[in-house]
Amino acid sequence: MCGIVAYIGPKEAYPVVLKGLKRLEYRGYDSSGVALLNNGLKVYKKKGKVADLEESLVGKDVHAHIGIGHTRWATHGEPSDRNAHPHTSSNGKMAMIHNGIIENYSQLKNELLKKGYVFESDTDTEVLLKFIEDIQLNNECGLEEAVRIALKRVVGAYVIVLIDQDHPDTLIAARKGSPLVIGIGKGEHFLASDATPIIEYTKEVVYVNDYELAIIRPGELVLKNLGNEKITPFVQKLDLELAAIEKSGYDHFMLKEIFEQPQTIFDCLRGRLDANAGAITMAGVQNNIDQLKNASRIIIVACGTSWHAGLLAEYIFEELCRIPVEVEYASEFRYRNPVVHKGDVIIAVSQSGETADTLVAIEKAKEQGALIFGVVNAVGSSIARVSNAGAYTHAGPEIGVASTKAFTAQLVVLTLIALKVAHEKKTIDTSRFMHLLSELHEIPEKVELTLRSAPKVKALAEKYRDARDFLYLGRGYNFPIALEGALKLKEISYIHAEGYPAAEMKHGPIALVDEHLPVVFVATRDSYHEKIVSNIQEIKARKGKVIAVISEGDENISRMADDTIEVPEADELVAPILSVVPLQLLAYYIGVAKDLDVDKPRNLAKSVTVE
Ligand code: M6R
């Protein structure tokens, strides 16, 4: 959560920082602010989106060659001007931005209050900055030393960036548990929470590791650990194009990302799947095939949409590989005392690769000797780096807060892994294996066909936009899709929605059904088809409104349902990759019909880097 940007070099800092904040707004948009050094420190901040800050700064002096900026997702203190970052030190000379949570902030704050410090905000960030200031005063040390001492006492997660008007040519940054990328230009440096604010200036980047401190002056980057020892920066080349992070003519990133899915799935399969030769090439799987094949258990840890992908993977792995699978919310797994054995394989699923709970969960499991296999979208992210092995989903940057293309790419990668392990383990016969490879091969084209339903889904969105609640039902492989459809609707349209296994409906939710309740059935042809047809009849008998996602030409359900959306016929194991697409579109169009900001839904942030 929260996006941070900083610049030092010959360019005007403010436009670079502002543009960077707009790129990072998906990480939080409760307030934003900038601090600039030019003949003293200037700090500007504003509640609301980055555009509000920009408007408030028209005509203000923003000239500077060193600057820091922040877009906030509130943790400590409500969204307001005074809680917005950057925060300033008591002497008014230093400014700091922070992404993360300082868990022992109240203890530090009490110590500082006793010393007479006054606080302008409710944030943990201001506490940390004043703690650093206090150390500097008491120890008569420089800022760099004070930061180092302070961070040794801090409990929690952070990326911080500081500027000090007494050192107008220096940026100091540090990281633990939250992401920080440094772009290296010609005589200039760019700092950001991810690479998107950096790529138009340079492709040379350094991913800062936990417990590292960066001291940056024009043209100079020094990395140190908290013990003050120098570390050689590992410079990497970014594999990311600017076009990938722009809207390219779409009204919203979410719509663009939904429509990108034929391509992203194709990219995800490229070089991995050879349907004719009957081969799957995945180095991460091949190099660990013995551990995967012989796993006593697979534990999938994830959050949100990624957890839904994990749930579907449970069905697929158990069916194909005959390995017991558990799917865990990372936030629960990390705090209970789970039993993890050496022979277990942990699959961490994450779009951002920065979700704090998932990261800590795998760190804990790693300590207990399990193999950590990351299924991650963001290249070079923390989860990718902590994992022992992995497979990227290659969906490209996902900017819309609601996950869409990353989800379908996760399903594809997880299915590929399961197929490869099953093939090696000989728990799948050759004809089924070949059939499923060819089904996967056809998925990009079938998603393309599915997207043709967009105008119909848009019309349905108009019809149902005023519903107060929705129920989403599915069975078997389509149950996780019902959960995902409900999550998308909640996030984007603020309509209460629940996903349920269709049979479970009779154990409670059926009490909600009346003529006002739309019930979305994910009812493509599969082994449970007859059962779900009965469930549809049960809803109709109680006057519920049925919207059904069906396989093309399913006359039977078409006659029963109030509305249907067809998807191409596909094997039940891969059909969920198709059936989720109309549900993504439905959430999107209802959000748009309600005039909501679908790319930045309230209270949410793309990357949940706090627990
Ligand atoms: O980056 P991750 O996949 O680890 O994120 C997990 C969830 O925070 C994420 O899927 C969230 O639920 C999305 N907003 C769903 O659209």
Side-chain angles (χ1 to χ4, degrees):
M1 347 276 302
C2 300
I4 58 127
V5 189
Y7 174 78
I8 181 166
K11 292 188 176 58
E12 279 294 334
Y14 173 65
V16 174
V17 170
L18 189 76
K19 202 170 191 184
L21 289 180
K22 287 183 180 166
R23 295 247 165 90
L24 291 181
E25 228 180 343
Y26 71 88
R27 300 177 67 90
Y29 30 82
D30 292 334
S31 63
S32 61
V34 292
L36 305 161
L37 273 184
N38 177 32
N39 289 329
L41 178 68
K42 294 184 188 69
V43 178
Y44 304 107
K45 41 200 213 172
K46 188 100 196 118
K47 178 180 171 186
K49 300 198 169 139
V50 176
D52 300 311
L53 174 76
E54 183 178 20
E55 203 184 304
S56 73
L57 291 189
V58 174
K60 294 260 167 58
D61 176 13
V62 290
H63 171 62
H65 294 291
I66 171 166
I68 61 179
H70 186 273
T71 178
R72 178 171 187 247
W73 187 87
T75 55
H76 294 69
E78 56 167 15
S80 64
D81 287 357
R82 74 186 182 90
N83 284 331
H85 299 213
H87 291 284
T88 38
S89 53
S90 299
N91 63 12
K93 289 182 174 183
M94 290 190 282
M96 187 172 98
I97 49 177
H98 166 220
N99 170 24
I101 287 187
I102 308 302
E103 287 169 18
N104 57 340
Y105 88 103
S106 60
Q107 184 195 339
L108 301 176
K109 188 171 183 174
N110 285 338
E111 289 175 21
L112 293 168
L113 283 169
K114 281 188 199 137
K115 291 181 175 183
Y117 280 86
V118 175
F119 292 89
E120 315 287 334
S121 75
D122 309 315
T123 64
D124 51 344
T125 306
E126 190 189 0
V127 173
L128 176 56
L129 176 59
K130 290 186 172 164
F131 183 55
I132 293 170
E133 182 181 16
D134 188 57
I135 291 173
Q136 212 182 352
L137 281 175
N138 292 338
N139 296 25
E140 291 179 3
C141 60
L143 181 58
E144 182 191 324
E145 181 62 13
V147 170
R148 215 182 341 264
I149 295 171
L151 294 183
K152 286 183 187 159
R153 270 209 57 198
V154 158
V155 179
Y158 54 78
V159 159
I160 53 168
V161 186
L162 288 108
I163 49 175
D164 178 358
Q165 73 175 41
D166 287 344
H167 299 94
D169 62 344
T170 310
L171 273 175
I172 294 190
R175 145 181 186 152
K176 189 208 147 200
S178 297
L180 176 62
V181 190
I182 300 177
I184 304 170
K186 289 206 172 74
E188 57 187 355
H189 288 89
F190 307 82
L191 283 75
S193 300
D194 70 30
T196 57
I198 297 175
I199 45 165
E200 68 187 274
Y201 307 107
T202 176
K203 294 214 162 170
E204 311 264 287
V205 295
V206 172
Y207 290 93
V208 178
N209 292 308
D210 280 351
Y211 303 108
E212 286 180 359
L213 202 71
I215 303 102
I216 305 164
R217 300 193 179 84
E220 184 195 31
L221 163 65
V222 177
L223 268 191
K224 290 184 178 177
N225 61 22
L226 293 187
N228 200 22
E229 292 158 336
K230 280 197 180 175
I231 297 162
T232 309
F234 174 52
V235 182
Q236 302 186 43
K237 214 159 189 77
L238 277 180
D239 180 20
L240 181 66
E241 295 305 325
L242 193 55
I245 56 162
E246 291 182 334
K247 277 193 214 155
S248 315
Y250 284 92
D251 288 342
H252 297 96
F253 281 110
M254 183 177 174
L255 190 63
K256 177 190 171 219
E257 287 158 4
I258 292 172
F259 273 85
E260 274 175 352
Q261 289 176 109
Q263 185 61 46
T264 51
I265 294 171
F266 180 80
D267 291 343
C268 182
L269 292 170
R270 188 170 41 202
R272 289 173 166 163
L273 173 72
D274 186 338
N276 291 328
I280 295 173
T281 311
M282 295 178 99
V285 179
Q286 194 58 53
N287 296 341
N288 296 280
I289 197 66
D290 288 338
Q291 255 173 296
L292 285 160
K293 254 170 47 181
N294 301 320
S296 46
R297 192 171 49 147
I298 293 175
I299 305 172
I300 302 178
V301 290
C303 302
T305 286
S306 299
W307 188 88
H308 296 156
L311 189 62
L312 185 50
E314 176 185 19
Y315 287 49
I316 297 174
F317 270 93
E318 291 206 342
E319 165 73 24
L320 299 182
C321 309
R322 308 311 297 151
I323 299 171
V325 180
E326 283 165 30
V327 188
E328 295 265 0
Y329 288 112
S331 53
E332 290 295 316
F333 183 81
R334 67 178 279 193
Y335 282 116
R336 59 190 192 79
N337 192 8
V339 178
V340 179
H341 299 123
K342 263 204 156 84
D344 290 341
V345 171
I346 310 286
I347 301 185
V349 187
S350 176
Q351 186 287 127
S352 62
E354 300 295 348
T355 298
D357 285 325
T358 311
L359 185 57
V360 178
I362 61 173
E363 279 166 346
K364 289 203 156 174
K366 200 175 180 183
E367 279 165 19
Q368 295 179 60
L371 175 82
I372 312 295
F373 193 97
V375 173
V376 174
N377 193 40
V379 176
S381 56
S382 303
I383 293 173
R385 287 185 292 150
V386 167
S387 300
N388 303 107
Y392 282 118
T393 46
H394 295 310
E398 192 179 63
I399 312 284
V401 166
S403 189
T404 52
K405 64 175 182 173
F407 177 68
T408 46
Q410 286 166 348
L411 296 185
V412 170
V413 168
L414 289 162
T415 308
L416 282 172
I417 299 169
L419 277 167
K420 185 155 178 72
V421 173
H423 189 53
E424 297 275 346
K425 214 177 159 203
K426 301 195 179 13
T427 46
I428 185 170
D429 64 50
T430 307
S431 70
R432 177 105 177 106
F433 179 69
M434 292 302 283
H435 169 70
L436 285 170
L437 294 201
S438 113
E439 284 283 316
L440 268 177
H441 176 74
E442 287 171 13
I443 283 290
E445 203 183 318
K446 289 183 179 174
V447 173
E448 187 85 61
L449 293 171
T450 306
L451 286 166
R452 292 194 191 159
S453 66
K456 181 168 189 188
V457 180
K458 191 173 179 186
L460 290 181
E462 283 298 333
K463 182 171 168 186
Y464 292 104
R465 53 177 278 179
D466 294 321
R468 205 190 55 179
D469 307 282
F470 268 72
L471 200 55
Y472 283 71
L473 301 175
R475 299 181 82 117
Y477 297 111
N478 277 327
F479 161 52
I481 300 304
L483 292 179
E484 176 60 7
L487 177 63
K488 287 288 88 86
L489 190 72
K490 276 184 271 211
E491 284 187 290
I492 299 305
S493 72
Y494 314 153
I495 294 175
H496 169 246
E498 290 198 45
Y500 256 89
E504 192 64 20
M505 166 204 47
K506 288 202 275 291
H507 300 277
I510 199 162
L512 299 170
V513 178
D514 64 13
E515 67 274 27
H516 304 295
L517 184 78
V519 183
V520 179
F521 275 92
V522 192
T524 48
R525 271 190 211 102
D526 55 18
S527 10
Y528 313 83
H529 198 60
E530 294 305 313
K531 307 265 176 221
I532 207 151
V533 168
S534 306
N535 297 139
I536 292 175
Q537 279 163 338
E538 286 154 6
I539 295 291
K540 281 315 298 170
R542 287 156 184 86
K543 298 194 168 50
K545 296 271 175 290
V546 169
I547 306 162
V549 176
I550 55 171
S551 304
E552 58 195 347
D554 188 336
E555 302 285 333
N556 187 20
I557 296 188
S558 294
R559 272 193 298 275
M560 278 184 269
D562 294 82
D563 294 287
T564 53
I565 309 158
E566 292 194 355
V567 298
E569 194 78 53
D571 187 283
E572 63 179 359
L573 209 124
V574 298
I577 308 171
L578 306 176
S579 47
V580 74
V581 174
L583 306 188
Q584 297 169 340
L585 287 168
L586 185 65
Y588 171 79
Y589 284 123
I590 293 183
V592 171
K594 295 179 86 167
D595 205 17
L596 298 171
D597 188 347
V598 296
D599 279 339
K600 299 188 198 91
R602 71 181 175 208
N603 303 335
L604 290 172
K606 181 76 183 158
S607 184
V608 184
T609 54
V610 294
E611 60 175 289

